[in-house]
Amino acid sequence: MLRRPPTAIKLTQEDLALYEDARREQEEELREQIEREKERERERDNAAAGKAGGGRKMKEKEKEGKKTREERIVGGGGGGEGAGAGAGAGAGAGGVGGAGAGVGVSTPVGRR
């Protein structure tokens, strides 16, 4: 088997400076990423605290979206969730072929 001399690697001060600069950039990017993640976490915590304090608003929105039993059976209100620019080919979530009832499958409000 043939032997060759070992490969000699020569590093200059410039090579070391480039390596150190690249290393600093990587560390800075990592710090920025960690800071962005912490900021997102703070925003999520604030949003969760806002939801806990604004529960009344959420309940009001839920009431707006729910239909009474009679509305669901009789179909008062037209197309419901399936509403769209359709030709009435398919009933929405409570509509019985009402005006603009959407095409396709729709789910009743609150059953997703």
Side-chain angles (χ1 to χ4, degrees), residues 2-68:
L2 297 174
R3 295 195 134 210
R4 62 181 178 95
T7 303
I9 299 175
K10 296 179 183 175
L11 296 175
T12 63
Q13 285 296 94
E14 186 177 322
D15 295 331
L16 294 174
L18 288 172
Y19 171 78
E20 289 173 354
D21 290 343
R23 180 71 180 212
R24 280 189 212 113
E25 285 179 21
Q26 285 179 341
E27 289 175 356
E28 183 62 30
E29 288 176 11
L30 182 61
R31 278 190 217 109
E32 289 174 0
Q33 181 181 3
I34 291 170
E35 195 61 36
R36 284 191 302 265
E37 289 174 4
K38 286 181 182 179
E39 181 64 29
R40 282 189 210 125
E41 190 174 318
R42 277 187 235 121
E43 288 174 1
R44 267 186 291 210
D45 291 344
N46 290 340
K51 285 183 181 179
R56 193 170 116 210
K57 291 180 183 177
M58 291 298 290
K59 288 179 184 176
E60 290 173 6
K61 287 182 180 180
E62 287 176 6
K63 285 182 182 178
E64 290 175 9
K66 290 186 179 181
K67 296 183 178 181
T68 64

